[in-house]
Amino acid sequence: DIQMTQSPSSLSASVGDRVTITCRASQDIRTYLAWYQQKPGKVPKLLIYTASTLQSGVPSRFSGSGSGSDFTLTISSLQPEDVATYYCQKYNGAPWTFGQGTKVEIK
Amino acid sequence: EVQLVESGGGLVKPGGSLRLSCAASGFTFSNYNMKWVRQAPGKGLELVSSISSGGSYIYYPDSVRGRFTISRDNAKNSLYLQMNNLRVEDTAMYYCVRDLNLLCGGDCPFDPWGQGTLVTVSS
């Protein structure tokens, strides 16, 4: 099975900072990569799919890039409402594996 | 508005059973593949079962295969998860999720998600 590894596991940054989270797949998954945001106590929400397509309603400060096995989620200017855990997921067939998550906090 | 509403969670002893339900509305349920995803307290996300739109293709990871059974009733717009021989490690919030759209075939991200139903396995 393909494994998904995120880094870092957690980060603390200041409001306005540029934040980057990486996700590595153990095999080539082309661009079958999604990012989800889960705010504390809330349901996961789809942010980005096909590695770089923003889901409707997602602020433009979020962006995704990558293909093959290396992917990045970037928040261009961190806002207080972005405090959350972010998960990557491969979805090119079973098993639909998630990364372990990256917790983003405000410094 | 697309909605997924789970029910059926609760406290059960190890070895016990529970049946989760998910009521879907706001879209043509019979057209979409559906999944159950769980999240143990303070942990990450794990898919526990998947079923195709017509019910003919079903997937389970090793962690639940042989104990969990996913099913659907397209006439009732409902998804189910029968969980038998429950273990302490099955304690989690269980989410009903839908494939994002009909264009991605079987290779879809998950959206929307229901609010979840909590399953606690404890003696």
Side-chain angles (χ1 to χ4, degrees):
Chain A
D1 291 351
I2 297 174
Q3 306 303 314
M4 305 300 293
T5 304
Q6 290 181 231
S7 61
S9 297
S10 65
L11 66 89
S12 181
S14 300
V15 173
D17 280 355
R18 183 180 185 88
V19 168
T20 299
I21 299 169
T22 64
C23 177
R24 174 163 289 178
S26 60
Q27 297 177 33
D28 186 346
I29 59 169
R30 291 191 280 171
T31 56
Y32 290 98
L33 192 282
W35 290 97
Y36 298 84
Q37 175 193 60
Q38 186 176 31
K39 295 184 178 182
K42 301 297 185 182
V43 176
K45 168 188 168 184
L46 177 65
L47 283 183
I48 288 170
Y49 58 99
T50 58
S52 60
T53 303
L54 246 60
Q55 174 66 329
S56 176
V58 174
S60 58
R61 63 181 179 275
F62 290 92
S63 64
S65 65
S67 66
S69 60
D70 290 306
F71 303 88
T72 300
L73 172 68
T74 299
I75 308 173
S76 60
S77 176
L78 186 67
Q79 300 301 304
E81 59 267 33
D82 301 333
V83 168
T85 299
Y86 294 84
Y87 296 93
C88 65
Q89 179 210 21
K90 56 87 71 180
Y91 58 86
N92 58 328
W96 294 265
T97 308
F98 294 89
Q100 81 277 19
T102 296
K103 188 174 184 178
V104 174
E105 298 175 320
I106 301 291
K107 193 180 295 182
Chain B
E1 180 194 3
V2 174
Q3 264 200 314
L4 299 170
V5 180
E6 302 93 336
S7 61
L11 175 64
V12 62
K13 289 182 167 53
S17 298
L18 274 179
R19 189 193 195 208
L20 306 184
S21 299
C22 171
S25 60
F27 65 100
T28 305
F29 179 73
S30 60
N31 286 348
Y32 285 83
N33 302 330
M34 299 293 296
K35 277 88 172 170
W36 288 97
V37 175
R38 71 182 178 185
Q39 185 171 35
K43 301 297 184 183
L45 302 167
E46 178 190 19
L47 181 134
V48 292
S49 60
S50 173
I51 188 168
S52 60
S53 58
S56 59
Y57 177 75
I58 288 174
Y59 168 81
Y60 306 103
D62 289 345
S63 58
V64 307
R65 188 175 294 122
R67 301 187 299 122
F68 288 12
T69 302
I70 191 172
S71 62
R72 63 190 296 161
D73 185 336
N74 287 342
K76 294 183 177 179
N77 293 333
S78 293
L79 178 72
Y80 306 102
L81 185 68
Q82 177 67 43
M83 303 186 296
N84 297 331
N85 191 20
L86 282 160
R87 304 168 179 169
V88 171
E89 55 265 35
D90 295 319
T91 295
M93 184 71 77
Y94 285 73
Y95 296 103
C96 169
V97 303
R98 192 197 76 176
D99 278 2
L100 174 62
N101 56 44
L102 300 179
L103 302 176
C104 46
D107 298 329
C108 297
F110 303 162
D111 186 81
W113 297 56
Q115 289 298 309
T117 187
L118 182 62
V119 172
T120 303
V121 185
S122 174
S123 54

